[in-house]
Amino acid sequence: MGKRLFEQLMKMTFYGQFVAGEDQEAIKPLVRKNRAFGVGSVLDYGVEEDLTQEEAEKKEMESCVSEAEKENHGVDHREKKYKAYRRFGDRRGGVISARTYFYADEAKCDQHMETFLKCIEASGGSSEDGFSAIKLTALGRPQFLLQFSEVLVKWRRVFHLLAADQGKAGLSALDIKLEMKQLQESLAKLGLGAKDETQNWFTGEDLGMSGTVDLLDWNSLIDSRTKISNLLVVPNLETGQLEPLLNKFTDEEEMQMKRMLQRMDVLAKKALQHGVRLMVDAEQTYFQPAISRLTLEMQRKFNTEKPTIFNTYQCYLREAYDNVSLDVELSRREGWYFGAKLVRGAYMDQERSRAAEIGYADPINPDYEATNQMYHRCLDYVLEEIKHHRKANVMVASHNENTVKFTLQRMNELGIHPSENKVYFGQLLGMCDQISFPLGQAGYPVYKYVPYGPVNEVLPYLSRRAQENRGIMKGSQQERQLLWTELQRRLLSGEIFYKPVY
């Protein structure tokens, strides 16, 4: 059709439905129009690299395998879940509702950071209460996320092993409290520290009073050191020693880790400066523990006066409730504002097939109903926290009408008024307007994810929206029926080209 005609046709149809415009200036009319109907914006630059599968796999293997692993071919104590595999190297496979970034080099990460900075500026300029979304795999070499995730998971596993020794297996993560004396004896037996040495491990104020250690105290053992690679040590229960995950880190790998943290810091400071809330998107489970921990550190630093940084929790995960409740409890203890976005999740098919083929436990809930229950359980926990302390904030990012109705009902029961701006709702631009706009006009804080970018560069994004809508339309005819009813109204009233006044 030729580039110009193709772009014009896309703008009149598919692109015009799901994308706000080509640049920050072009999106302003749509952002203003939505705002007039009570609907805010989460700006998201929708441009993606259009890589072949082979290119994606090559980049993934180069960026997720360290120099030490290349030299030693599996001698280091790595778990198979937290290793890279070429057959799962293209992380776009089976994913239709999330963008994927592949690491090229540090200059590319700086470009991504600049793009996110422009999004934050545009969000701050277009509204007083905007959001902007970022992904940590865009900001650095994913090798660090893989390694740090493995460390965090292994330390938590040791905690649960020690809990089982004290007869406390099976309790929820937040309810497990280890007796200090027994804990020191167990650690000494495992050879992980002499009794007088482990007394200095736990220095929290509450610890001295209670004489117990919970998972939050335990997590505090992993703190910031001079060199980030010093974080990457794990307990080896066979030798009774704390060992580095890899036998060496190059200076360049050390710098790559630091640069990722520095880019996060730059973005958080820019968000604070412009009054924009920054949402850190969730990713695959082999990256997510590190992403959540780094986001938590940002929350500690930047959420002291108001909720600026939001973490994302995927409720199709079996451990979602433990993760939410632990982070809420930490925010309560330390006095900062908790910010969460709750989603069902974007990587189910990919996660399940990877777990089955490589041979580790499936991290996903057994069925859709279990995920619904998990979503509502996590949401209810945060709503209760809002009721009692008023320092938690949550975005209900869902196209599910039952979830929205559940939220409204619980807000009413708990006395949480929409004007408090503690509970937000989020949907994608061009989808589920029958949920977004009635909420906005009723005074609830509701936001659309607003992607923008040149027509030819957002085609990967648009192809995912096409697949996602196909799935949604199989399950529900309601939106189509509403559109048909409106078309009939316009034909009968003679308002075929009706434009609402705002």
Side-chain angles (χ1 to χ4, degrees):
M1 294 173 67
K3 183 180 176 184
R4 186 176 295 180
L5 184 57
F6 173 75
E7 287 186 0
Q8 192 57 42
L9 184 62
M10 288 294 282
K11 285 179 180 178
M12 292 168 61
T13 55
F14 207 50
Y15 177 96
Q17 175 73 7
F18 297 110
V19 183
E22 299 217 21
D23 53 39
Q24 294 167 23
E25 202 57 41
I27 68 175
K28 284 183 179 177
L30 183 138
V31 170
R32 279 197 296 266
K33 182 182 82 170
N34 284 358
R35 183 75 268 171
F37 290 99
V39 178
S41 299
V42 181
L43 296 191
D44 191 14
Y45 191 59
V47 172
E48 300 176 35
E49 267 190 300
D50 198 7
L51 301 173
T52 66
Q53 182 176 335
E54 188 179 348
E55 288 170 332
E57 289 172 355
K58 184 170 182 278
K59 284 192 171 187
E60 186 75 351
M61 295 309 293
E62 287 173 352
S63 62
C64 285
V65 180
S66 69
E67 287 303 315
E69 287 176 286
K70 289 174 187 173
E71 290 174 12
N72 294 312
H73 301 293
V75 171
D76 296 292
H77 308 282
R78 300 294 309 281
E79 286 198 12
K80 48 192 174 185
K81 178 176 180 178
Y82 300 99
K83 289 184 176 182
Y85 300 88
R86 184 172 289 278
R87 62 189 180 278
F88 292 102
D90 187 351
R91 287 182 275 114
R92 299 168 301 184
V95 178
I96 60 172
S97 56
R99 176 163 334 127
T100 303
Y101 290 92
F102 293 94
Y103 180 84
D105 51 39
E106 292 298 293
K108 190 72 174 176
C109 293
D110 286 335
Q111 285 178 26
H112 291 151
M113 182 184 74
E114 290 299 324
T115 299
F116 291 148
L117 287 170
K118 287 176 183 173
C119 266
I120 292 168
E121 288 174 1
S123 187
S126 62
S127 68
E128 296 175 2
D129 59 349
F131 284 91
S132 194
I134 66 170
K135 276 202 163 184
L136 292 203
T137 48
L139 297 176
R141 189 181 176 95
Q143 172 199 329
F144 171 50
L145 296 176
L146 266 180
Q147 291 166 352
F148 194 30
S149 290
E150 183 173 355
V151 168
L152 292 166
V153 167
K154 282 185 172 178
W155 274 99
R156 184 181 283 205
R157 198 175 295 152
V158 171
F159 177 83
H160 285 290
L161 179 72
L162 295 167
D165 279 349
Q166 295 192 18
K168 296 178 181 177
L171 296 175
S172 70
L174 203 54
D175 291 332
I176 300 173
K177 299 188 188 301
L178 304 183
E179 299 299 325
M180 185 64 179
K181 190 176 177 184
Q182 286 177 257
L183 172 61
Q184 288 173 319
E185 289 170 359
S186 298
L187 289 170
K189 269 186 201 172
L190 291 170
L192 294 177
K195 207 167 181 183
D196 55 346
E197 183 187 338
T198 55
Q199 273 181 330
N200 300 321
W201 284 14
F202 305 97
T203 55
E205 292 175 17
D206 293 337
L207 183 69
M209 293 165 56
S210 66
T212 61
V213 174
D214 64 14
L215 188 52
L216 296 178
D217 299 316
W218 183 259
N219 286 342
S220 69
L221 290 176
I222 306 171
D223 56 15
S224 183
R225 319 272 179 91
T226 309
K227 292 189 74 173
I228 297 173
S229 54
N230 289 346
L231 289 171
L232 303 179
V233 293
V234 292
N236 185 329
L237 299 182
E238 293 176 12
T239 64
Q241 299 292 318
L242 292 178
E243 298 177 347
L245 197 65
L246 298 171
N247 62 7
K248 71 169 187 178
F249 289 86
T250 66
D251 290 342
E252 178 56 26
E253 285 171 342
E254 182 77 30
M255 285 305 299
Q256 286 167 350
M257 295 180 204
K258 283 186 177 175
R259 288 190 203 113
M260 177 186 279
L261 302 182
Q262 287 165 352
R263 292 181 188 111
M264 291 172 65
D265 199 61
V266 168
L267 292 170
K269 284 175 179 171
K270 178 68 90 172
L272 200 62
Q273 177 189 341
H274 286 269
V276 173
R277 286 157 293 188
L278 201 61
M279 284 184 167
V280 181
D281 282 342
E283 305 194 43
Q284 285 87 351
T285 52
Y286 43 89
F287 293 139
Q288 193 55 43
I291 291 170
S292 289
R293 181 57 184 260
L294 296 175
T295 304
L296 191 102
E297 296 302 328
M298 290 169 69
Q299 289 179 314
R300 280 172 149 161
K301 184 174 180 181
F302 295 101
N303 284 12
T304 54
E305 303 292 329
K306 59 182 180 180
T308 297
I309 309 297
F310 280 63
N311 195 10
T312 301
Y313 298 88
Q314 299 184 103
C315 294
Y316 66 12
L317 297 179
R318 296 171 190 264
E319 61 181 26
Y321 180 79
D322 279 351
N323 293 336
V324 170
S325 58
L326 282 166
D327 290 353
V328 167
E329 173 63 20
L330 186 66
S331 71
R332 193 186 301 147
R333 285 186 194 181
E334 297 182 347
W336 43 268
Y337 285 80
F338 175 79
K341 178 176 77 168
L342 296 183
V343 299
R344 278 175 170 76
Y347 306 99
M348 184 178 74
D349 293 337
Q350 186 188 101
E351 292 273 15
R352 282 209 154 131
S353 60
R354 189 179 190 268
E357 192 168 329
I358 294 171
Y360 58 86
D362 183 355
I364 310 292
N365 284 320
D367 53 41
Y368 186 72
E369 187 50 44
T371 292
N372 278 342
Q373 289 172 9
M374 180 67 79
Y375 194 107
H376 290 181
R377 188 183 178 201
C378 292
L379 175 57
D380 202 47
Y381 188 88
V382 180
L383 292 176
E384 287 279 356
E385 178 67 12
I386 292 172
K387 175 192 174 182
H388 294 297
H389 297 98
R390 279 342 200 231
K391 290 189 82 169
N393 294 257
V394 63
M395 173 169 277
V396 182
S398 175
H399 294 151
N400 187 303
E401 285 190 30
N402 289 331
T403 293
V404 172
K405 288 174 182 174
F406 171 83
T407 310
L408 298 178
Q409 179 186 333
R410 291 297 288 143
M411 286 176 70
N412 188 48
E413 291 168 357
L414 296 169
I416 303 170
H417 197 271
S419 64
E420 292 182 63
N421 279 339
K422 300 289 185 187
V423 183
Y424 320 100
F425 297 87
Q427 289 87 39
L428 292 166
L429 182 70
M431 294 174 67
C432 292
D433 287 350
Q434 82 276 12
I435 294 177
S436 310
F437 284 90
L439 282 172
Q441 290 178 286
Y444 289 89
V446 59
Y447 294 82
K448 287 288 196 185
Y449 259 71
V450 177
Y452 64 96
V455 175
N456 280 292
E457 294 182 41
V458 297
L459 288 178
Y461 174 85
L462 288 171
S463 70
R464 290 206 315 271
R465 292 289 76 79
Q467 292 176 67
E468 189 166 19
N469 269 283
R470 183 176 60 186
I472 286 175
M473 293 311 289
K474 279 179 186 174
S476 171
Q477 300 298 318
Q478 185 176 6
E479 193 166 358
R480 190 181 293 175
Q481 183 58 46
L482 289 167
L483 289 166
W484 173 240
T485 303
E486 173 63 8
L487 181 60
Q488 288 177 309
R489 186 194 71 77
R490 291 191 186 189
L491 288 169
L492 291 172
S493 65
E495 294 179 324
I496 296 176
F497 298 104
Y498 170 76
K499 288 186 178 180
V501 178
Y502 59 90

